[in-house]
Amino acid sequence: MSITVVLYSHDSVGLGHARRNRALAHALAADLPRLTGQPVRGLLIAGHPDATADSLPEGWDWLVLPGFTRTAEGYASRSLDVSNERLSALRRSTAAAAIKAMSPDLFIADRHPFGVGEELLDSLVWLRSQGTRCVLGLREVLDSPEATRAEWARIGGAAAAAKFYHAVWVYGDPSVYNPISSGEIPQPLATRTRFTGYLSHGRPVDEVSGSSVRAPKPYVLSMVGGGSDGGRLALAAAQARVPAGHRHIILTGPQMPLPDHARVQRTVEASPDAARIQVTRLAPHVPALVREAAAVVSMAGYNSTAEIMATTTPALLVPRAARRAEQPRRARALAAVGAVDTLALEELSAEALSRWLAEAVVRRCDRGAVDLDGLSRIGALAAAELALRPAALPRTTAVRPTPGVLRAAPRPAEAPVPVPAPYPPAHVAHAAARCAATPLSAPAAETRFDSHVR
């Protein structure tokens, strides 16, 4: 007997959804066998081929659907010369075939409960008939409350999702940002929501290889996630002065448009610091690069931020302001608890980055007040869901919890969820964190310093 898990992410822009699921896969593979006494296998359904560059645990694999991408008019086929209708039908049928073939005990969807164009709906109906436990995984910030309400309404409201999803896992710390009290997660999903903590500590890290990015320490790091909309930040980083005695690594991301990447390279070649700047699209071991950097400049996507939060490296978040309010809201919330510094995109300049880098390389940042241990809780949350599966349904991969380890009980998610203090209203000026300047050689360099509100 074994436990089968299927995780889904739509991946139209960036790799954050797939990388969250990949982190979950490693956590489940590490913990579920110990908790249930059964081996675990799984499939990750993703929508971008770059996702497969990341390794998976033994017994797990990727299924990459033909991709959608975002355009000014909405979703469109990334590569295939087909209509949206044909691409949607292809994705829907492919996902359904894979899900039925795997017959999972646990299904986890990232962010979008019904997928792109409701491509998961048929599969969710089938999964419900099989008694599969279904979980909706959400990052801690979705969007502005107004935009999120409209998004829920487009899929029939939160009640429509609640028909299929037994639990909602929010990958964040409610004392930093609470999407229930902000209105981003409405009833009835709010009553079955559990906060895991940020998925920071324990993230999978690929081994350093001969092709891995290296730079003599000390160095500073600039990164823009997948890079599809990171051209402006990468260009400013290329124009910034490198702190004395340091090198500068700039990661432009695998999805940065070629003209933007080429412009960054040309700018570096013309820089007086060119000999100390290294530009590359991709690094397979970003968490290690962040941890060993003297300072990091980054956009404020969930995964980049989660990797930063697992370290003591001072960080400046420059959130994108287009499409969603997610990144600015995340940056404000983390700055308010002293975990990062922030710079609004409209204030971005090479001079601003130069000043921040010169000041940041002489300090470290203690983020111990934030719950960063979400990955250590995923196994127990999954085991609890598996223990609640209907025992009467015949399934070839049925989970039978080890006696004394897991006991079916009244579903805890039905209990009211305590709601922490609400997130400050949008009109409140954002906070600028200060992890104070302290010599790196002193033990106090790891101390957190007070934030202030401007």
Side-chain angles (χ1 to χ4, degrees), residues 22-23 25-26 44 51-58 60 62 204-207:
R22 183 233 185 176
H26 278 273
L44 277 73
T52 63
D54 294 326
S55 65
L56 292 176
E58 184 178 354
W60 295 65
W62 293 100
V205 179
D206 289 325
E207 293 183 5

Side-chain angles (χ1 to χ4, degrees), residues 121-142:
L121 188 54
D122 294 344
S123 295
L124 288 168
V125 171
W126 184 83
L127 289 168
R128 184 170 61 179
S129 73
Q130 300 299 298
T132 300
R133 301 300 291 184
C134 294
V135 174
L136 178 61
L138 300 176
R139 60 183 183 241
E140 89 290 27
V141 185
L142 301 180

Side-chain angles (χ1 to χ4, degrees), residues 120-387:
L120 286 179
L121 188 54
D122 294 344
S123 295
L124 288 168
V125 171
W126 184 83
L127 289 168
R128 184 170 61 179
S129 73
Q130 300 299 298
T132 300
R133 301 300 291 184
C134 294
V135 174
L136 178 61
L138 300 176
R139 60 183 183 241
E140 89 290 27
V141 185
L142 301 180
D143 205 331
S144 68
E146 298 77 17
T148 306
R149 281 195 294 269
E151 190 170 347
W152 285 116
R154 283 195 294 272
I155 66 167
K163 292 178 182 178
F164 299 100
Y165 287 95
H166 302 93
V168 178
W169 296 346
V170 175
Y171 308 132
D173 179 346
S175 69
V176 175
Y177 189 97
N178 190 321
I180 295 177
S181 48
S182 73
E184 292 159 70
I185 301 179
Q187 297 290 344
L189 291 179
T191 56
R192 60 191 67 185
T193 294
R194 290 293 175 266
F195 290 89
T196 66
Y198 284 91
L199 307 182
S200 292
H201 291 151
R203 278 187 162 245
V205 179
D206 289 325
E207 293 183 5
V208 176
S209 66
S211 62
S212 298
V213 176
R214 291 184 175 88
K217 292 188 284 188
Y219 64 85
V220 296
L221 174 68
S222 295
M223 58 186 191
V224 293
S228 60
D229 55 359
R232 183 175 172 184
L233 177 55
L235 183 62
Q239 296 168 335
R241 295 306 304 265
V242 180
H246 291 70
R247 298 180 64 85
H248 190 178
I249 300 174
I250 301 175
L251 300 180
T252 61
Q255 297 174 4
M256 179 172 285
L258 288 175
D260 289 351
H261 178 79
R263 188 179 181 191
V264 171
Q265 287 185 310
R266 290 194 302 270
T267 301
V268 167
E269 291 166 3
S271 169
D273 296 329
R276 294 190 288 142
I277 305 175
Q278 180 179 355
V279 180
T280 185
R281 276 192 172 275
L282 185 65
H285 55 290
V286 171
L289 280 176
V290 173
R291 183 176 63 252
E292 296 176 5
V296 60
V297 175
S298 175
M299 296 179 73
Y302 180 89
N303 286 280
S304 296
T305 303
E307 290 167 346
I308 289 168
M309 296 291 287
T311 74
T312 61
T313 305
L316 177 67
L317 298 187
V318 185
R320 73 170 178 226
R323 284 201 299 117
R324 294 187 180 277
E326 169 212 347
Q327 290 199 13
R329 293 175 75 85
R330 175 176 298 115
R332 287 199 305 268
L334 290 171
V337 297
V340 298
D341 295 326
T342 63
L343 181 69
L345 192 61
E346 58 267 23
E347 299 172 358
L348 173 64
S349 68
E351 292 74 20
L353 294 188
S354 299
R355 288 193 299 271
W356 184 85
L357 287 169
E359 179 272 333
V361 295
V362 296
R363 57 182 171 92
R364 300 306 277 178
C365 189
D366 178 6
R367 301 180 172 104
V370 181
D371 185 351
L372 306 174
D373 294 319
L375 288 171
S376 69
R377 301 184 181 101
I378 292 299
L381 287 169
E385 289 298 324
L386 291 168

